[in-house]
Amino acid sequence: MVLKLIGTLAAAVFVVACGQGTSAEKSPLCSPDYQPGELTVTRDDPEGFTQEEPTKTTTDASAIEQVTRALCELPEPPTDAQCTADLGPTFVLRFTDNTGKPTEIRAEAFSCRYVNGLDIRRQAKPSLWQALTAAGLPSGG
C-alpha cells in the first residue's frame, strides 16, 4: 500500500515537473478563447541607453493574434543556458482583452532573450520580433 502511494506521488511529481499541468496554469493569452482588444509595446532601455522607439499601440485584432501566437509558440529556455552579462532593451507588451483585463509580458532583447509573464518562462525567437515588426510595433529583432 505504501509503495503504491509513493509510486502514485512520484508519477504526479513527474507530470508536473515536465510541464504537463492543467489548462488552468496556461496564460490567458494562450487560450483559444482569448479575444484581443489592444496591445501596447514600450521599449524599456537600461540606464545610459537611448530609447530609440516610442511606445506604440495597436487595436488590429489580426496583428495582436499573430503576436500572441508567436509568444505562445516560444520554447522554454534550456536548463543549462549560459547567458552573457550584457544589457539591452526589454520590450514590455501590455495586452488588454476585449473585457478590459490586462496582461503584461516582458521580452528581453539581449543575453538569453527571456520572455516572462506567460505560464512559464520562455525564450524569444525571431518569430516574436517578426510579428511585432509586422504589426508596426517596436521590436528587438
Side-chain angles (χ1 to χ4, degrees):
M1 173 79 169
V2 172
L3 289 177
K4 185 176 181 181
L5 179 60
I6 290 172
T8 302
L9 288 173
V13 168
F14 177 77
V15 167
V16 171
C18 290
Q20 301 299 317
T22 66
S23 61
E25 296 172 354
K26 293 192 184 242
S27 170
L29 294 177
C30 298
S31 164
D33 299 328
Y34 183 74
Q35 296 293 314
E38 181 178 274
L39 170 57
T40 299
V41 178
T42 303
R43 180 181 167 133
D44 183 16
D45 290 318
E47 189 173 323
F49 284 77
T50 303
Q51 185 168 339
E52 297 174 6
E53 300 177 56
T55 298
K56 291 188 179 177
T57 300
T58 185
T59 56
D60 180 338
S62 176
I64 298 170
E65 287 172 3
Q66 289 178 353
V67 173
T68 58
R69 187 176 317 111
L71 279 168
C72 295
E73 291 175 354
L74 294 175
E76 287 185 62
T79 56
D80 60 350
Q82 296 184 8
C83 304
T84 61
D86 63 337
L87 292 176
T90 297
F91 291 84
V92 181
L93 289 70
R94 289 185 185 93
F95 293 86
T96 305
D97 68 14
N98 64 359
T99 67
K101 182 179 178 190
T103 302
E104 183 174 290
I105 307 295
R106 297 182 67 81
E108 299 172 350
F110 62 94
S111 192
C112 277
R113 296 181 172 258
Y114 290 133
V115 175
N116 295 298
L118 291 164
D119 49 350
I120 56 171
R121 173 180 269 182
R122 300 183 188 226
Q123 191 168 33
K125 296 292 180 193
S127 58
L128 172 60
W129 310 125
Q130 291 163 356
L132 288 168
T133 299
L137 299 166
S139 88

